[in-house]
Amino acid sequence: MDRRALAAALFALVPAGSAMADEVGNDLTRSRDRHFLDEAASACRSGDFPAFLWPFANSSAVRAHYGASAAAIDDFPIVMIDYSYVTRASERLFDANGGDPRQLVYVQVDLSTGADGIERVDWAPGRFEPGEGDGPGTLIEKTGPGGSLHFRKTADCWRLDKDIRNRAGAR
C-alpha cells in the first residue's frame, strides 16, 4: 500500500471535522515532512543532487528549510509520485479526485550541471510510451511548455536560484 493510500485509510477511521481528524492530519504532515527533511539532509551530506531534488519537490518544509522563495514554497512546478515526476497542478487534481491516475500529467525531467556549478532541472509535460521499469517511459511528444529550475550550491547543500516557467507556445 503506498503512503497516500495508507494515510487515506487511517484518516477515514477518524470522524470528519473533529479535532481528532485535524490532529491526525497534522501528525501525518509532520511525520511526512520530517522524513523528507531527513532525506534532503542525507542528499546534501553526500552531494547527491538527484537525491535532493525528490524531497525538495515533494515537501514545502524542505523548500522552506533550504531557502526557497515564498512563491516556490507554495507553487513548485513538479512533484514525484511513484517514481515519476508530474506537474504540481495535476497532482492537486489527482488528490481532489480521489487518486484518479487519469488526472496526472507526467513530465520529462533532465538534470545537468553547468560549468558555473549550477544544477539545472529542465522539465516538460508530455505523452510517454510505456517502458520497462519505473517511470513514465519514453517521451513521445511534449504537451506543454514546461520550464527550467536552477539550483546554486551553498556551503552545505543547494538553494533554488531560478524557477523559469516557459510560456505556452514558446519553443
Side-chain angles (χ1 to χ4, degrees):
M1 179 180 288
D2 72 10
R3 66 181 159 79
R4 288 178 192 272
L6 178 60
L10 291 172
F11 202 68
L13 297 174
V14 179
S18 71
M20 181 188 270
D22 291 343
E23 190 56 36
V24 168
N26 290 337
D27 286 348
L28 289 172
T29 299
R30 282 191 294 273
S31 175
R32 181 178 171 271
D33 285 340
R34 174 57 26 218
H35 170 73
F36 284 128
L37 285 163
D38 291 346
E39 290 293 319
S42 176
C44 293
R45 283 191 302 275
S46 65
D48 186 348
F49 179 75
F52 173 76
L53 181 60
W54 168 66
F56 191 90
N58 283 57
S59 171
S60 59
V62 171
R63 292 190 295 276
H65 183 79
Y66 290 98
S69 69
I73 289 170
D74 294 333
D75 188 35
F76 197 70
I78 60 175
V79 62
M80 184 179 272
I81 295 178
D82 294 335
Y83 306 104
S84 298
Y85 282 99
V86 299
T87 64
R88 172 77 55 195
S90 74
E91 182 241 5
R92 288 180 179 133
L93 288 172
F94 172 80
D95 287 344
N97 288 288
D100 179 359
R102 295 173 297 177
Q103 302 297 320
L104 295 174
V105 176
Y106 291 90
V107 297
Q108 175 76 30
V109 173
D110 295 309
L111 307 177
S112 62
T113 304
D116 54 3
I118 298 290
E119 296 289 348
R120 183 174 167 150
V121 179
D122 293 313
W123 63 276
R127 255 184 354 102
F128 295 83
E129 183 174 291
E132 295 181 26
D134 298 328
T138 304
L139 180 67
I140 300 171
E141 169 187 22
K142 289 183 180 179
T143 59
S148 182
L149 307 162
H150 299 200
F151 290 82
R152 184 172 302 281
K153 186 76 172 131
T154 64
D156 59 350
C157 201
W158 293 273
R159 177 180 59 80
L160 180 63
D161 195 46
K162 292 182 184 171
D163 178 351
I164 302 165
R165 313 274 175 109
N166 298 332
R167 292 187 322 256
R171 294 250 181 230

